[in-house]
């Protein structure tokens, strides 16, 4: 079966090229602490052995950047770096990677008086000097505040799109900048809509597809499959990531699942007739990655999945987030949200902080809040 493909431009990422009808690339992200060089090198190699075309590593400090340089010396993978709030780290990491990913919403966290346009020009200059591709990574939970303020709170897609489009226009004006875009949400339907709308206006820009905070298998695989089947089947998408909450030793499953989904789509074995039940419990959790501040997060997410089975027929959303990057913003829209820090778990209910609890205490407190929420809705 020959799949339709949008006529996107070619973007080289190290030894792999996405877009322009090249094979759809499969990516993943390390979950080890970047400063644990041996563990990170081992995970990069495991992901590549599983078939990863690109491996992303998070860098959040000068120490992370120093570790990345040593990791680069030990691996031959196509490496992407995930810049967090400090965009200035780009010049320290660019010599060691093949792609730089930045989030437009995070550009406001440092040097707040400097226009974001100047920061993007800086990133593009660094990327150009070191032969790096760029990913504009737009995420539902950390949208550019200037764009978000222009729309009603219930419209989460339009500010994402406007942010992506204006960043594309700026990079288009910079000679030699080669870039792709991602528009991610934890809701597959929103991922589908956002990417379709973007591709209608900019069919030339390669798209990186994925459902952020898809959660644990099997639900996380189903959510991702729904989005990828609908988009890739319509010619949209040049590289993918399956984001799963799994222990570090199982991280290569993201690549295996991604390859299987692509093979199924190519063979016509689509399963999108299996839709998520809007009247059932929706558990979302961010993928295990090196930003996680306590590895107990993955175990906690699995225990939340088990504990909440009794509530599976209730139309509620519970979010389990593992770091300060995703935690504060991406638990706001959940009925109950857990934002996991190094020592405590912040519990939020409908966006309001309930309190901070130890990892030993949180499950019981979550159940109490869940029971109260179910009882309150039943009484309405």
């Amino acid at each position: 079966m020959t799949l339709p493909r949008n006529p996107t431009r070619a973007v080289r990422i190290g030894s792999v090229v996405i877009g322009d009808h090249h094979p759809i690339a499969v990516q993943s992200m390390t979950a080890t602490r970047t400063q644990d060089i041996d563990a990170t090198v081992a995970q990069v190699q495991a992901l590549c052995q599983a078939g990863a075309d690109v491996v992303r590593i998070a860098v959040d400090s000068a120490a992370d950047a120093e570790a990345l340089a040593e990791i680069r010396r030990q691996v031959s993978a196509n490496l992407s770096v995930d810049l967090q709030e400090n965009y200035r780290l780009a010049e320290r990491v660019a010599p060691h990677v093949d792609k730089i990913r930045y989030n437009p919403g995070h550009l406001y966290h440092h040097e707040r008086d400097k226009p974001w346009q100047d920061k993007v020009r800086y990133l593009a200059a660094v990327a150009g000097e070191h032969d790096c591709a760029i990913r504009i990574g737009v995420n539902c939970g950390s949208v550019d505040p200037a764009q978000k303020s222009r729309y009603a709170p219930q419209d989460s897609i339009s500010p994402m799109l406007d942010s992506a489009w204006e960043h594309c226009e700026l990079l288009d004006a910079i000679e030699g900048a080669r870039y792709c875009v991602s528009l991610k949400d934890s809701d597959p339907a929103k991922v589908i809509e956002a990417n379709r709308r973007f591709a209608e206006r900019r069919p030339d820009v390669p798209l990186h597809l994925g459902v952020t905070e898809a959660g644990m298998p099997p639900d996380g695989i189903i959510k991702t499959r729904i989005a990828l089947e609908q988009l890739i089947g319509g010619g949209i998408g040049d590289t993918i990531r399956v984001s799963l909450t799994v222990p570090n030793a199982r991280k290569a499953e993201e690549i295996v699942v991604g390859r299987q989904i692509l093979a199924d789509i190519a063979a016509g074995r689509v399963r999108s007739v299996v839709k998520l039940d809007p009247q059932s419990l929706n558990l979302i959790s961010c993928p295990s990655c090196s930003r996680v501040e306590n590895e107990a997060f993955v175990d906690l997410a699995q225990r939340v999945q088990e504990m909440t089975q009794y509530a599976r027929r209730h139309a509620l959303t519970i979010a389990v987030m593992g770091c300060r990057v995703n935690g504060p913003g991406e638990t706001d829209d959940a009925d109950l949200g857990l934002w996991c820090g190094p020592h405590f778990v912040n519990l939020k209910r409908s966006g309001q902080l309930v309190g901070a609890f130890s990892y030993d205490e949180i499950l019981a407190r979550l159940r109490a809040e869940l029971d109260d929420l179910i009882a309150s809705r039943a009484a309405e």
Side-chain angles (χ1 to χ4, degrees):
M1 178 178 178
T2 302
L3 292 174
R5 298 289 299 279
N6 266 10
T8 53
R9 64 182 74 166
V11 172
R12 180 173 54 81
I13 306 167
S15 65
V16 70
V17 179
I18 64 170
D20 192 28
H21 296 87
H22 285 84
I24 296 172
V26 181
Q27 304 188 27
S28 184
M29 183 177 180
T30 56
T32 52
R33 293 188 180 279
T34 303
Q35 293 175 46
D36 187 341
I37 294 171
D38 290 344
T40 303
V41 166
Q43 189 156 89
V44 171
Q45 291 172 335
L47 290 167
C48 289
Q49 288 171 4
D53 295 302
V54 179
V55 177
R56 184 157 53 114
I57 298 176
V59 172
D60 199 23
S61 65
D64 284 347
E66 184 177 342
L68 178 67
E70 178 57 32
I71 293 165
R72 170 78 284 173
R73 281 190 282 270
Q74 296 188 37
V75 302
S76 58
N78 297 313
L79 295 182
S80 172
V81 69
D82 192 12
L83 293 178
Q84 305 305 317
E85 292 92 341
N86 189 355
Y87 77 99
R88 283 284 180 186
L89 285 171
E91 61 194 64
R92 300 193 60 166
V93 301
H96 314 299
V97 298
D98 304 290
K99 182 170 71 170
I100 295 173
R101 182 263 187 182
Y102 77 90
N103 182 331
H106 288 168
L107 291 179
Y108 288 80
H109 294 177
H110 279 268
E111 301 176 351
R112 298 191 178 192
D113 294 333
K114 179 178 288 189
W116 66 263
Q117 292 90 339
D118 290 349
K119 298 175 184 180
V120 172
R121 292 187 186 99
Y122 159 80
L123 289 172
V126 170
E129 179 182 355
H130 297 284
D131 195 26
C132 294
I134 295 172
R135 170 151 68 102
I136 305 167
V138 186
N139 194 298
C140 63
S142 48
V143 181
D144 181 331
Q147 293 293 352
K148 193 173 183 178
S149 66
R150 297 175 54 234
Y151 293 93
Q154 61 270 26
D155 184 0
S156 62
I157 295 177
S158 294
M160 290 175 63
L161 287 167
D162 282 354
S163 180
W165 285 326
E166 70 177 359
H167 278 255
C168 289
E169 290 172 4
L170 178 58
L171 288 176
D172 285 341
I174 299 174
E175 184 178 357
R178 62 182 197 271
Y179 68 89
C180 63
V181 167
S182 64
L183 297 142
K184 293 189 177 183
D185 195 283
S186 60
D187 182 343
K190 291 183 178 181
V191 173
I192 294 167
E193 181 182 349
N195 283 277
R196 280 178 173 167
R197 287 171 59 182
F198 179 89
E200 286 175 2
R201 179 163 162 177
R202 293 299 306 264
D204 60 307
V205 176
L207 282 168
H208 169 90
L209 304 181
V211 177
T212 190
E213 295 102 39
M216 291 159 282
D219 290 352
I221 297 173
I222 294 171
K223 292 177 184 179
T224 304
R225 181 178 283 275
I226 289 171
L228 296 187
E229 286 181 355
Q230 295 297 316
L231 290 168
I232 293 173
I236 297 170
D238 302 279
T239 178
I240 66 168
R241 182 192 174 189
V242 179
S243 298
L244 298 176
T245 308
V246 292
N248 286 0
R250 295 173 52 192
K251 203 61 184 169
E253 289 181 22
E254 292 190 345
I255 302 299
V256 174
V257 170
R259 292 284 178 200
Q260 185 61 59
I261 291 174
L262 290 179
D264 286 347
I265 295 172
R269 298 188 296 266
V270 296
R271 308 178 191 177
S272 292
V273 291
V274 181
K275 297 186 181 295
L276 295 174
D277 184 354
Q279 299 305 312
S280 66
L281 183 71
N282 180 29
L283 180 61
I284 64 175
S285 59
C286 56
S288 44
C289 77
S290 58
R291 294 189 301 242
V292 169
E293 296 179 273
N294 189 324
E295 292 182 8
F297 152 74
V298 176
D299 178 64
L300 176 61
Q302 292 172 333
R303 288 190 291 142
V304 169
Q305 183 184 50
E306 295 167 1
M307 184 273 287
T308 57
Q309 285 302 301
Y310 77 97
R312 63 184 179 276
R313 299 311 306 166
H314 294 273
L316 298 168
T317 295
I318 299 176
V320 187
M321 299 293 137
C323 72
R324 73 178 190 277
V325 175
N326 290 326
E330 298 181 26
T331 49
D332 283 346
D333 293 333
D335 296 292
L336 293 168
L338 304 182
W339 162 28
C340 302
H343 307 293
F344 296 94
V345 180
N346 301 282
L347 174 61
K348 297 164 82 172
R349 179 167 170 171
S350 300
Q352 300 300 311
L353 183 65
V354 175
F357 304 90
S358 71
Y359 279 79
D360 291 333
E361 298 171 326
I362 187 61
L363 209 61
R365 186 55 191 262
L366 175 65
R367 176 151 192 164
E369 293 291 334
L370 179 57
D371 287 344
D372 184 66
L373 193 55
I374 292 171
S376 297
R377 293 201 174 182
E380 291 177 355

